Amino acid sequence: MFTPDIMMQLVDQIRLEEEDDDQADELTLDSLPAFKAQKWVSWKLSFETLLSSIQSTVMENLPLNYVVRSPRTPDALTLANMDDRGRRYWTVILRGQRFQSDNKLVFRKLKMALLDTDGWVWIQAFDATKDGRGTWLGLTEHYDGPGEKQKRISQAKKTLSNLSYKYKRSNMNFERYSSRMFDAFTILKENGIVYHPFDKVDRLLDSIDNN
């Protein structure tokens, strides 16, 4: 049963695995911010952007972010209005040796980014299979879920409630005070709660104690 076709498939698989191992170490995560559950929304976008800047190791003119594309495929009309690259992004088959090569690479990048963070516990079960797409879908299902979203909102609101600035207080200079407030507003906006600029200014001033 060892036909010439099977032989060529195995040769191709060996070549892809060797190329995958050689190129994996060349891709760094320097541009990716440290993972924090509170900043999941912006971290998620940063990771997807990072993958979009990396080309598939085995498929020509295809960014690596196709591996983590949404399970919801656009309708036929939307696909028809896309350029060739966009259609290929959505229609390339997510199986086979070439996909598995990219799929494992995505997992390795996720592992490198999350290994020493709270996010690792949610993906460590995939360490045996190196399933990058399965890992990403599981991770997004958890952190995009209503429970985690409400937790981020509650923590950001608590930060705003407890935040205050007093002139010359040693443990909170104005830079740190304003940065933490801006960060809390950003997290709330990412999770669907938007404050009017005037309300932000009022909150900023109300939290300042300076005679």
Side-chain angles (χ1 to χ4, degrees):
M1 300 300 292
F2 190 69
T3 65
D5 286 342
I6 292 177
M7 181 188 72
M8 292 308 300
Q9 288 177 13
L10 293 174
V11 170
D12 195 33
Q13 180 178 347
I14 291 171
R15 180 182 61 79
L16 292 175
E17 289 177 351
E18 290 175 345
E19 290 180 355
D20 190 18
D21 290 338
D22 289 341
Q23 296 185 37
D25 294 335
E26 298 176 4
L27 304 175
T28 67
L29 298 170
D30 293 341
S31 62
L32 191 67
F35 175 83
K36 294 180 180 179
Q38 183 71 349
K39 296 185 178 180
W40 159 253
V41 176
S42 57
W43 189 90
K44 174 185 175 183
L45 177 60
S46 296
F47 187 80
E48 292 174 334
T49 302
L50 175 67
L51 293 184
S52 71
S53 68
I54 302 171
Q55 290 299 306
S56 164
T57 59
V58 290
M59 289 193 260
E60 186 178 356
N61 196 31
L62 187 65
L64 198 59
N65 62 336
Y66 83 92
V67 174
V68 299
R69 75 189 186 202
S70 171
R72 296 184 294 274
T73 306
D75 57 58
L77 180 60
T78 302
L79 286 172
N81 290 326
M82 291 181 181
D83 57 22
D84 291 340
R85 189 174 184 180
R87 279 194 296 273
R88 189 167 182 230
Y89 168 88
W90 284 107
T91 59
V92 65
I93 298 175
L94 302 179
R95 62 174 182 269
Q97 294 175 3
R98 292 180 177 273
F99 166 71
Q100 289 303 331
S101 179
D102 286 338
N103 195 34
K104 291 178 180 178
L105 178 55
V106 168
F107 176 81
R108 280 198 291 273
K109 294 194 74 63
L110 273 171
K111 181 176 180 179
M112 290 169 61
L114 299 176
L115 188 57
D116 296 321
T117 73
D118 293 340
W120 172 244
V121 68
W122 300 105
I123 72 168
Q124 60 182 342
F126 292 92
D127 199 30
T129 61
K130 307 293 188 293
D131 179 6
R133 178 169 175 79
T135 302
W136 182 252
L137 293 179
L139 193 68
T140 55
E141 181 179 7
H142 172 72
Y143 283 109
D144 283 336
E148 287 297 315
K149 181 177 180 179
Q150 186 56 48
K151 188 187 298 183
R152 292 192 292 271
I153 291 173
S154 297
Q155 289 176 350
K157 285 185 174 180
K158 184 177 180 180
T159 296
L160 290 177
S161 297
N162 296 337
L163 198 59
S164 64
Y165 170 74
K166 188 173 183 178
Y167 181 58
K168 291 185 177 180
R169 189 171 64 180
S170 60
N171 65 340
M172 178 71 76
N173 59 35
F174 187 79
E175 182 65 26
R176 184 181 178 196
Y177 161 73
S178 56
S179 295
R180 288 186 62 185
M181 181 170 286
F182 179 80
D183 192 44
F185 282 130
T186 300
I187 290 170
L188 289 170
K189 181 179 179 181
E190 290 174 345
N191 291 277
I193 299 179
V194 181
Y195 281 73
H196 191 279
F198 290 130
D199 294 328
K200 292 181 181 180
V201 173
D202 286 341
R203 179 63 66 94
L204 179 79
L205 298 177
D206 289 342
S207 301
I208 294 176
D209 178 13
N210 181 12
N211 294 327

